[in-house]
mmCIF file of all heavy atoms in Angstrom:
data_model
loop_
_atom_site.group_PDB
_atom_site.id
_atom_site.type_symbol
_atom_site.label_atom_id
_atom_site.label_comp_id
_atom_site.label_asym_id
_atom_site.label_seq_id
_atom_site.Cartn_x
_atom_site.Cartn_y
_atom_site.Cartn_z
ATOM 1 N N ALA A 118 -9.989 -0.846 -4.126
ATOM 2 C CA ALA A 118 -10.399 -1.364 -2.718
ATOM 3 C C ALA A 118 -10.359 -0.271 -1.689
ATOM 4 O O ALA A 118 -11.119 -0.241 -0.730
ATOM 5 C CB ALA A 118 -9.538 -2.513 -2.347
ATOM 6 N N ARG A 119 -9.513 0.716 -1.841
ATOM 7 C CA ARG A 119 -9.331 1.729 -0.901
ATOM 8 C C ARG A 119 -9.973 3.125 -1.277
ATOM 9 O O ARG A 119 -10.388 3.872 -0.502
ATOM 10 C CB ARG A 119 -7.858 1.958 -0.542
ATOM 11 C CG ARG A 119 -7.222 0.815 0.141
ATOM 12 C CD ARG A 119 -5.696 1.000 0.221
ATOM 13 N NE ARG A 119 -5.107 -0.207 0.920
ATOM 14 C CZ ARG A 119 -3.881 -0.494 0.861
ATOM 15 N NH1 ARG A 119 -3.053 0.347 0.277
ATOM 16 N NH2 ARG A 119 -3.379 -1.556 1.493
ATOM 17 N N LEU A 120 -9.957 3.359 -2.552
ATOM 18 C CA LEU A 120 -10.452 4.647 -2.987
ATOM 19 C C LEU A 120 -11.950 4.630 -3.511
ATOM 20 O O LEU A 120 -12.575 5.677 -3.685
ATOM 21 C CB LEU A 120 -9.563 5.177 -4.216
ATOM 22 C CG LEU A 120 -8.094 5.496 -3.882
ATOM 23 C CD1 LEU A 120 -7.404 5.853 -5.193
ATOM 24 C CD2 LEU A 120 -7.989 6.598 -2.880
ATOM 25 N N GLY A 121 -12.472 3.451 -3.854
ATOM 26 C CA GLY A 121 -13.708 3.347 -4.481
ATOM 27 C C GLY A 121 -13.679 3.367 -5.991
ATOM 28 O O GLY A 121 -12.589 3.241 -6.614
ATOM 29 N N TRP A 122 -14.813 3.483 -6.599
ATOM 30 C CA TRP A 122 -14.880 3.401 -8.048
ATOM 31 C C TRP A 122 -14.335 4.659 -8.738
ATOM 32 O O TRP A 122 -14.396 5.761 -8.217
ATOM 33 C CB TRP A 122 -16.348 3.256 -8.484
ATOM 34 C CG TRP A 122 -16.964 1.856 -8.081
ATOM 35 C CD1 TRP A 122 -17.695 1.638 -6.975
ATOM 36 C CD2 TRP A 122 -16.778 0.678 -8.749
ATOM 37 N NE1 TRP A 122 -18.013 0.284 -6.894
ATOM 38 C CE2 TRP A 122 -17.489 -0.260 -8.051
ATOM 39 C CE3 TRP A 122 -16.093 0.321 -9.907
ATOM 40 C CZ2 TRP A 122 -17.530 -1.706 -8.398
ATOM 41 C CZ3 TRP A 122 -16.206 -1.023 -10.371
ATOM 42 C CH2 TRP A 122 -16.888 -2.015 -9.575
ATOM 43 N N GLU A 123 -13.858 4.440 -9.976
ATOM 44 C CA GLU A 123 -13.441 5.543 -10.778
ATOM 45 C C GLU A 123 -14.578 6.533 -11.015
ATOM 46 O O GLU A 123 -15.760 6.080 -11.071
ATOM 47 C CB GLU A 123 -12.895 5.051 -12.139
ATOM 48 C CG GLU A 123 -11.696 4.110 -12.049
ATOM 49 C CD GLU A 123 -12.158 2.688 -11.715
ATOM 50 O OE1 GLU A 123 -13.312 2.352 -11.833
ATOM 51 O OE2 GLU A 123 -11.323 1.815 -11.414
ATOM 52 N N ASP A 124 -14.280 7.764 -11.228
ATOM 53 C CA ASP A 124 -15.280 8.843 -11.417
ATOM 54 C C ASP A 124 -15.162 9.354 -12.837
ATOM 55 O O ASP A 124 -14.387 10.249 -13.141
ATOM 56 C CB ASP A 124 -15.070 9.965 -10.452
ATOM 57 C CG ASP A 124 -16.163 11.012 -10.429
ATOM 58 O OD1 ASP A 124 -17.101 10.783 -11.171
ATOM 59 O OD2 ASP A 124 -16.076 11.962 -9.632
ATOM 60 N N TYR A 125 -15.979 8.888 -13.776
ATOM 61 C CA TYR A 125 -16.041 9.369 -15.115
ATOM 62 C C TYR A 125 -16.924 10.579 -15.193
ATOM 63 O O TYR A 125 -18.011 10.614 -14.542
ATOM 64 C CB TYR A 125 -16.544 8.266 -16.089
ATOM 65 C CG TYR A 125 -15.578 7.047 -16.137
ATOM 66 C CD1 TYR A 125 -15.736 5.967 -15.316
ATOM 67 C CD2 TYR A 125 -14.556 6.996 -17.024
ATOM 68 C CE1 TYR A 125 -14.973 4.843 -15.312
ATOM 69 C CE2 TYR A 125 -13.688 5.852 -17.068
ATOM 70 C CZ TYR A 125 -13.911 4.811 -16.188
ATOM 71 O OH TYR A 125 -13.092 3.749 -16.233
ATOM 72 N N TYR A 126 -16.531 11.589 -15.993
ATOM 73 C CA TYR A 126 -17.347 12.763 -16.073
ATOM 74 C C TYR A 126 -17.274 13.401 -17.444
ATOM 75 O O TYR A 126 -16.424 13.164 -18.277
ATOM 76 C CB TYR A 126 -16.906 13.709 -14.983
ATOM 77 C CG TYR A 126 -15.539 14.271 -15.121
ATOM 78 C CD1 TYR A 126 -15.191 15.328 -15.959
ATOM 79 C CD2 TYR A 126 -14.516 13.693 -14.391
ATOM 80 C CE1 TYR A 126 -13.948 15.780 -16.103
ATOM 81 C CE2 TYR A 126 -13.203 14.112 -14.564
ATOM 82 C CZ TYR A 126 -12.929 15.165 -15.395
ATOM 83 O OH TYR A 126 -11.572 15.616 -15.529
ATOM 84 N N LEU A 127 -18.284 14.272 -17.669
ATOM 85 C CA LEU A 127 -18.391 15.071 -18.867
ATOM 86 C C LEU A 127 -18.668 16.512 -18.317
ATOM 87 O O LEU A 127 -19.576 16.696 -17.522
ATOM 88 C CB LEU A 127 -19.535 14.646 -19.785
ATOM 89 C CG LEU A 127 -19.856 15.558 -20.980
ATOM 90 C CD1 LEU A 127 -18.687 15.457 -22.008
ATOM 91 C CD2 LEU A 127 -21.191 15.143 -21.652
ATOM 92 N N ALA A 128 -17.932 17.549 -18.884
ATOM 93 C CA ALA A 128 -18.050 18.925 -18.480
ATOM 94 C C ALA A 128 -18.199 19.818 -19.660
ATOM 95 O O ALA A 128 -17.499 19.606 -20.623
ATOM 96 C CB ALA A 128 -16.967 19.313 -17.511
ATOM 97 N N PHE A 129 -19.135 20.781 -19.600
ATOM 98 C CA PHE A 129 -19.269 21.809 -20.608
ATOM 99 C C PHE A 129 -19.195 23.162 -20.033
ATOM 100 O O PHE A 129 -19.705 23.463 -18.981
ATOM 101 C CB PHE A 129 -20.719 21.612 -21.238
ATOM 102 C CG PHE A 129 -21.176 22.759 -22.146
ATOM 103 C CD1 PHE A 129 -20.924 22.671 -23.519
ATOM 104 C CD2 PHE A 129 -21.800 23.849 -21.696
ATOM 105 C CE1 PHE A 129 -21.321 23.678 -24.336
ATOM 106 C CE2 PHE A 129 -22.202 24.904 -22.452
ATOM 107 C CZ PHE A 129 -21.947 24.756 -23.877
ATOM 108 N N SER A 130 -18.384 24.007 -20.628
ATOM 109 C CA SER A 130 -18.155 25.328 -20.228
ATOM 110 C C SER A 130 -18.353 26.407 -21.317
ATOM 111 O O SER A 130 -17.979 26.166 -22.415
ATOM 112 C CB SER A 130 -16.690 25.506 -19.673
ATOM 113 O OG SER A 130 -16.535 24.587 -18.663
ATOM 114 N N HIS A 131 -19.042 27.488 -20.939
ATOM 115 C CA HIS A 131 -19.220 28.562 -21.921
ATOM 116 C C HIS A 131 -19.065 29.941 -21.195
ATOM 117 O O HIS A 131 -19.617 30.088 -20.132
ATOM 118 C CB HIS A 131 -20.618 28.529 -22.548
ATOM 119 C CG HIS A 131 -20.949 29.578 -23.478
ATOM 120 N ND1 HIS A 131 -20.411 29.527 -24.819
ATOM 121 C CD2 HIS A 131 -21.663 30.770 -23.450
ATOM 122 C CE1 HIS A 131 -20.858 30.603 -25.429
ATOM 123 N NE2 HIS A 131 -21.625 31.356 -24.608
ATOM 124 N N ASP A 132 -18.421 30.918 -21.911
ATOM 125 C CA ASP A 132 -18.236 32.221 -21.317
ATOM 126 C C ASP A 132 -19.253 33.158 -22.012
ATOM 127 O O ASP A 132 -19.314 33.436 -23.147
ATOM 128 C CB ASP A 132 -16.804 32.614 -21.728
ATOM 129 C CG ASP A 132 -16.472 33.976 -21.074
ATOM 130 O OD1 ASP A 132 -17.336 34.598 -20.450
ATOM 131 O OD2 ASP A 132 -15.233 34.298 -21.145
ATOM 132 N N PHE A 133 -20.155 33.646 -21.119
ATOM 133 C CA PHE A 133 -21.163 34.536 -21.533
ATOM 134 C C PHE A 133 -20.731 36.039 -21.290
ATOM 135 O O PHE A 133 -21.523 36.967 -21.484
ATOM 136 C CB PHE A 133 -22.468 34.415 -20.710
ATOM 137 C CG PHE A 133 -23.238 33.159 -20.997
ATOM 138 C CD1 PHE A 133 -23.151 31.977 -20.267
ATOM 139 C CD2 PHE A 133 -24.101 33.125 -22.196
ATOM 140 C CE1 PHE A 133 -23.828 30.810 -20.593
ATOM 141 C CE2 PHE A 133 -24.792 31.944 -22.437
ATOM 142 C CZ PHE A 133 -24.630 30.823 -21.724
ATOM 143 N N ASN A 134 -19.400 36.239 -21.074
ATOM 144 C CA ASN A 134 -18.935 37.554 -20.864
ATOM 145 C C ASN A 134 -19.279 38.110 -19.440
ATOM 146 O O ASN A 134 -18.342 38.411 -18.689
ATOM 147 C CB ASN A 134 -19.218 38.625 -21.918
ATOM 148 C CG ASN A 134 -18.686 38.257 -23.295
ATOM 149 O OD1 ASN A 134 -17.586 37.693 -23.338
ATOM 150 N ND2 ASN A 134 -19.426 38.487 -24.350
ATOM 151 N N VAL A 135 -20.544 38.109 -19.174
ATOM 152 C CA VAL A 135 -20.924 38.572 -17.844
ATOM 153 C C VAL A 135 -20.496 37.563 -16.747
ATOM 154 O O VAL A 135 -20.139 37.851 -15.686
ATOM 155 C CB VAL A 135 -22.479 38.802 -17.771
ATOM 156 C CG1 VAL A 135 -22.978 39.162 -16.378
ATOM 157 C CG2 VAL A 135 -22.860 39.884 -18.751
ATOM 158 N N VAL A 136 -20.596 36.262 -17.140
ATOM 159 C CA VAL A 136 -20.329 35.162 -16.246
ATOM 160 C C VAL A 136 -19.912 33.980 -17.060
ATOM 161 O O VAL A 136 -20.368 33.793 -18.202
ATOM 162 C CB VAL A 136 -21.495 34.829 -15.308
ATOM 163 C CG1 VAL A 136 -22.637 34.335 -16.016
ATOM 164 C CG2 VAL A 136 -21.029 34.019 -14.135
ATOM 165 N N ARG A 137 -19.000 33.097 -16.486
ATOM 166 C CA ARG A 137 -18.866 31.794 -17.155
ATOM 167 C C ARG A 137 -19.701 30.765 -16.487
ATOM 168 O O ARG A 137 -19.958 30.748 -15.337
ATOM 169 C CB ARG A 137 -17.364 31.359 -16.932
ATOM 170 C CG ARG A 137 -16.355 32.144 -17.736
ATOM 171 C CD ARG A 137 -14.963 31.470 -17.645
ATOM 172 N NE ARG A 137 -14.858 30.323 -18.461
ATOM 173 C CZ ARG A 137 -14.111 29.294 -18.226
ATOM 174 N NH1 ARG A 137 -13.603 29.134 -17.004
ATOM 175 N NH2 ARG A 137 -14.133 28.264 -19.018
#
Side-chain angles (χ1 to χ4, degrees):
R119 294 170 179 166
L120 296 174
W122 292 96
E123 300 83 9
D124 187 4
Y125 297 92
Y126 62 83
L127 174 71
F129 170 90
S130 300
H131 180 76
D132 188 351
F133 287 99
N134 294 326
V135 176
V136 68
R137 290 188 78 215

